[in-house]
C-alpha cells in the first residue's frame, strides 16, 4: 500500500461512514476500519475531515477560441486550478471546424491537452458542422476514440438548425452516444439584440434581456421535443431557467431519458449582477436569471431532476470584458462584443460542499451531482466518480471547519478576476489526490504539468431518466 488516509468520514453518493482509505499503484485498494499501513506507506490523518471522490467537471472551455479571443486558461492553468478546487477530471469542449472530421478535431485538441493537463481529462465534441453525411457520420470516429458526447448549439452563428439537431440526435441514437444542448432561441435573441441596440441599450443588462427566461425556456422545450421525436436521450447543459427546469421535470416524470446540468453561477447569482458597475464581467450564455429560476434550479437539485453540476469555465480577462465598452479595434462596444463566459473551475466543489455544510443539501448529494452522476452519464464510471475499490485514487480531503473567502489572488488559474470575489465558504478542500498523488496541499498546487491522462468514455444507452 502506497498511501493510507486514516480516520476520516468517507462520503459516497449514497452513504457516509467512518473508514480508512488505502491506495496502491494509483488505485483505491481497500476501504475499511483500522487498516494497517505497510512499511513504506505514507499515512495521512483525516480525523475530523471528509474523504470524497475527486469532482468531475463535465463542462469546461480551456484555451478555447471564442468571441474574437481565446479563453484565458490553457490546459495547464485550467487543470491546475481544477486540482486546487478538488476537481480531478475535466471534460473540455473540442469545437469541430467547418469541414473537419470530429476525430481530427479531437486529435487537434488532444495535442494541446496531453502535454499540459495536470489532472485527467476527456472531451465532448462541440458540433460545428453536420451539414452533410460525411460530417455527421464522423461522429462514429469520435465514439471509437472514446469521445461519446456531442454538444449542439441552438444559438450562436455556428449553431445548428432544428433539422441538423434532429439528425445529430438520430445519429447519436444509432451510436448510443449522448447529445448535449446549449438551448437558447437564436432567432428571438437576434431580434431582441437588434431592437435593444437600435434603442441605444448597450450595457450588460441587455445581454440578459436579449437572452431572458423565455428565450432559454422555449429552446429547452423544443430541444426536449426533438429528443422525444428522435427517441433518444438528451443532456441540457448549463440549464438556468425555470420554464426549462419544469420541462425537464415533466419529461422525466413521463419516463424520458432527459438529463440536466446546472452551474454554480446560476445557483448563487441572479440577473441583478448585470446591474453592477462591472456587470460585463458576468456576461455568459445563458445569462443568470431571476430569483424564481434560481429557486427552481435548487428545487431541481433537491428532487433529483438536475443530474449534474458543472462549471462552464470559460474565463476572459478584464480587458477582454471591457470590449463591451470599447472593442479591440477601438470602436464603441456593447453587450454583444463582450466574450461570453466566466471562470469557475476552482469554485464548483468548494461552493457546493459549502452549501451542504450550511445545511442546504447533503454532502452525498454534492458527491452525486459533481462526481458520481457525471461519471455514469459520460461513461467513465468504470474508473472514476466514487470511492470504490479498484477505481482511480482521485480523492479529496475536506475540512468542514475551514472558512474560506474566495479572492482571485488565492485562485490557481491564469485569470485576472473572478465573479466569485468575496464569496464566503464554510469548509474547504485541504488536499486533492490524482491517482493517489498529492496535487493540492491545501494551499498550493503540487502536481505536475502533463501528468493528467485522457480518459476514454464508454457509450451508455439510457432508456429512462434513471442513471
Ligand atoms: O458563456 C459561455 N457559456 N461561454 C462558453 C460557451 C458556451 O456556450 O458554453
Ligand atoms: Zn453553451
Ligand atoms: Zn460552455
Amino acid at each position: 500500500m502506497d498511501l493510507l488516509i486514516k480516520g476520516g468520514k468517507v462520503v459516497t453518493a449514497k452513504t457516509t461512514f467512518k473508514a480508512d482509505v488505502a491506495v496502491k499503484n494509483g488505485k483505491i485498494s481497500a476501504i475499511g476500519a483500522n487498516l494497517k499501513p505497510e512499511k513504506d506507506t505514507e499515512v495521512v490523518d483525516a480525523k475530523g475531515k471528509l474523504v470524497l471522490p475527486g469532482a468531475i467537471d463535465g463542462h469546461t472551455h480551456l484555451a478555447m477560441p471564442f468571441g474574437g479571443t481565446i479563453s484565458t486558461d490553457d490546459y495547464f492553468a485550467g487543470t491546475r486550478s481544477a486540482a486546487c478546487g478538488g476537481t480531478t477530471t475535466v471534460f473540455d469542449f473540442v469545437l469541430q471546424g467547418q469541414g473537419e472530421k470530429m476525430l481530427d478535431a479531437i486529435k487537434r485538441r488532444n495535442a494541446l491537452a496531453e502535454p499540459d493537463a495536470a489532472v485527467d481529462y476527456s472531451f465532448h465534441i462541440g458540433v460545428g458542422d453536420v451539414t452533410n453525411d460525411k460530417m455527421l457520420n464522423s461522429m462514429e470516429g469520435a465514439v471509437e476514440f472514446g469521445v461519446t458526447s456531442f454538444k449542439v448549439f441552438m444559438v450562436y452563428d455556428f449553431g445548428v438548425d432544428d433539422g441538423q439537431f434532429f439528425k445529430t440526435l438520430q445519429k447519436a441514437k444509432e451510436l448510443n452516444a449522448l447529445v448535449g444542448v446549449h438551448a437558447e432561441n437564436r432567432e428571438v435573441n437576434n431580434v431582441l439584440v437588434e431592437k435593444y441596440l437600435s434603442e441605444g441599450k448597450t450595457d450588460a443588462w441587455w445581454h440578459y434581456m436579449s437572452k431572458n427566461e423565455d428565450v432559454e425556456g422555449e429552446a429547452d422545450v423544443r430541444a426536449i421535443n426533438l429528443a422525444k421525436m428522435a427517441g433518444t436521450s438528451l443532456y441540457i447543459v448549463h440549464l438556468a431557467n425555470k420554464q426549462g427546469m419544469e420541462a425537464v421535470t415533466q419529461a422525466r416524470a413521463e419516463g424520458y431519458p432527459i438529463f440536466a446540468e446546472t452551474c454554480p453561477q446560476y445557483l448563487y447569482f441572479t440577473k441583478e449582477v448585470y446591474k453592477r458597475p462591472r456587470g460585463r464581467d458576468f456576461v455568459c450564455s445563458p445569462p443568470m436569471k431571476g430569483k424564481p429560476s434560481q429557486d427552481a434550479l435548487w428545487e431541481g437539485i433537491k428532487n433529483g431532476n438536475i443530474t449534474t453540476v458543472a462549471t462552464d469555465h470559460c474565463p476572459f480577462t478584464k480587458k477582454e470584458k471591457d470590449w463591451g465598452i470599447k472593442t479591440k479595434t477601438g470602436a464603441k462596444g456593447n453587450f454583444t462584443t463582450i466574450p461570453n463566459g466566466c471562470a469557475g473551475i476552482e469554485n464548483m466543489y468548494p461552493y457546493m460542499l459549502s452549501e451542504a455544510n450550511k445545511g442546504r443539501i447533503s454532502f452525498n448529494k454534492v458527491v452525486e451531482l459533481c462526481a458520481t452522476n457525471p461519471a455514469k452519464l459520460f461513461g467513465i464510471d468504470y474508473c472514476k466518480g466514487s470511492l470504490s475499490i479498484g477505481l482511480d485514487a482521485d480523492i479529496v480531503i475536506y475540512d468542514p471547519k475551514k472558512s474560506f473567502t474566495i479572492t482571485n489572488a488565492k485562485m490557481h488559474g491564469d485569470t485576472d478576476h473572478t465573479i466569485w470575489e468575496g464569496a464566503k465558504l464554510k469548509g474547504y478542500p485541504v488536499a486533492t489526490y490524482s491517482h493517489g498523488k498529492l496535487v493540492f496541499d491545501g494551499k498550493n498546487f503540487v502536481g505536475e504539468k502533463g501528468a493528467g491522462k485522457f480518459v476514454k468514455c464508454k457509450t451508455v444507452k439510457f432508456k429512462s431518466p434513471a442513471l
Side-chain angles (χ1 to χ4, degrees):
M1 157 190 331
D2 305 316
L3 172 71
L4 181 60
I5 300 172
K6 272 201 88 63
K9 259 193 204 167
V10 171
V11 184
T12 74
K14 297 258 176 291
T15 56
T16 306
F17 54 96
K18 225 172 157 235
D20 303 337
V21 178
V23 175
K24 190 167 174 65
N25 297 331
K27 306 263 182 212
I28 297 172
S29 56
I31 300 177
N34 301 317
L35 298 181
K36 298 279 172 281
E38 292 162 4
K39 195 169 142 264
D40 291 325
T41 304
E42 182 192 343
V43 180
V44 174
D45 181 7
K47 227 171 278 144
K49 314 278 194 307
L50 302 183
V51 183
L52 312 151
I56 297 169
D57 189 341
H59 191 148
T60 70
H61 301 277
L62 302 176
M64 188 179 79
F66 195 76
T69 182
I70 295 177
S71 61
T72 319
D73 283 339
D74 62 14
Y75 283 95
F76 180 46
T79 52
R80 183 177 73 213
S81 189
C84 299
T87 291
T88 48
T89 308
V90 303
F91 273 81
D92 200 60
F93 281 89
V94 168
L95 291 190
Q96 175 207 12
Q98 289 285 313
E100 185 181 36
K101 284 193 184 159
M102 297 193 189
L103 183 55
D104 293 336
I106 293 168
K107 288 182 176 162
R108 171 171 58 76
R109 290 303 287 185
N110 200 32
L112 290 181
E114 203 170 31
D116 268 16
V119 297
D120 288 352
Y121 64 94
S122 194
F123 296 118
H124 307 294
I125 295 282
V127 171
D129 186 359
V130 282
T131 51
N132 59 61
D133 284 351
K134 187 173 161 202
M135 288 298 110
L136 184 69
N137 291 336
S138 80
M139 286 169 69
E140 291 165 15
V143 168
E144 274 163 32
F145 187 83
V147 174
T148 59
S149 42
F150 302 84
K151 175 185 176 186
V152 296
F153 298 85
M154 294 169 87
V155 72
Y156 301 137
D157 50 9
F158 59 85
V160 293
D161 62 25
D162 285 356
Q164 291 159 358
F165 186 178
F166 187 61
K167 279 188 181 176
T168 308
L169 287 162
Q170 287 180 316
K171 187 73 195 176
K173 181 179 180 182
E174 191 187 307
L175 297 173
N176 289 332
L178 181 68
V179 175
V181 61
H182 177 139
E184 290 182 299
N185 185 315
R186 177 174 40 217
E187 279 67 35
V188 174
N189 175 223
N190 288 343
V191 167
L192 294 177
V193 165
E194 207 181 319
K195 173 179 153 55
Y196 296 138
L197 291 184
S198 74
E199 292 168 355
K201 295 167 173 165
T202 58
D203 67 41
W205 176 254
W206 303 97
H207 170 71
Y208 155 69
M209 287 293 282
S210 66
K211 293 183 158 223
N212 61 41
E213 280 80 348
D214 292 339
V215 173
E216 188 187 339
E218 183 283 328
D220 288 323
V221 171
R222 183 156 37 100
I224 291 169
N225 283 335
L226 289 169
K228 285 184 188 173
M229 280 190 260
T232 191
S233 53
L234 180 70
Y235 179 58
I236 299 182
V237 303
H238 48 46
L239 183 73
N241 79 98
K242 183 176 176 185
Q243 186 186 343
M245 188 68 254
E246 285 169 355
V248 168
T249 304
Q250 187 182 328
R252 289 170 62 83
E254 290 165 359
Y256 291 100
I258 305 294
F259 305 97
E261 160 197 287
T262 193
C263 311
Q265 55 270 33
Y266 305 121
L267 297 170
Y268 186 71
F269 301 106
T270 66
K271 62 183 181 180
E272 298 308 313
V273 294
Y274 297 111
K275 293 181 180 161
R276 294 191 192 175
R278 284 202 66 91
R280 56 190 176 280
D281 290 345
F282 296 81
V283 164
C284 58
S285 287
M288 279 53 118
K289 303 296 195 304
K291 186 76 170 54
S293 284
Q294 187 177 80
D295 291 344
L297 295 173
W298 273 112
E299 196 47 43
I301 282 182
K302 287 178 188 164
N303 62 30
N305 287 308
I306 291 283
T307 302
T308 66
V309 170
T311 64
D312 197 7
H313 179 79
C314 191
F316 296 100
T317 61
K318 280 202 254 187
K319 191 165 167 221
E320 288 160 340
K321 289 291 187 183
D322 287 348
W323 293 348
I325 309 290
K326 196 190 215 186
T327 69
K328 62 175 163 179
T329 62
K332 189 174 174 347
N334 61 62
F335 62 89
T336 68
T337 56
I338 304 168
N340 283 202
C342 302
I345 205 164
E346 197 167 335
N347 312 117
M348 173 178 77
Y349 222 17
Y351 168 68
M352 294 303 293
L353 290 166
S354 169
E355 288 300 302
N357 207 11
K358 290 175 184 172
R360 190 168 206 162
I361 48 175
S362 68
F363 286 111
N364 311 94
K365 187 70 182 176
V366 178
V367 167
E368 180 185 78
L369 291 164
C370 300
T372 309
N373 278 355
K376 287 181 183 169
L377 196 61
F378 305 136
I380 61 165
D381 54 332
Y382 66 93
C383 62
K384 307 235 176 244
S386 60
L387 294 181
S388 313
I389 293 167
L391 298 201
D392 291 346
D394 295 349
I395 303 171
V396 169
I397 303 180
Y398 178 81
D399 182 354
K401 294 207 174 77
K402 181 170 174 171
S403 312
F404 191 91
T405 303
I406 300 175
T407 65
N408 195 57
K410 286 191 236 162
M411 298 294 101
H412 297 81
D414 278 350
T415 321
D416 64 358
H417 69 285
T418 171
I419 59 169
W420 292 89
E421 190 77 31
K424 290 190 177 0
L425 304 183
K426 185 177 175 192
Y428 209 76
V430 288
T432 307
Y433 295 86
S434 168
H435 293 272
K437 290 217 166 69
L438 190 69
V439 289
F440 173 61
D441 66 3
K443 199 156 193 278
N444 297 310
F445 171 73
V446 294
E448 230 178 278
K449 182 176 174 172
K453 296 277 169 286
F454 172 74
V455 187
K456 223 173 145 91
C457 300
K458 297 193 170 162
T459 55
V460 192
K461 188 163 185 64
F462 298 107
K463 292 198 176 130
S464 77
L467 282 172

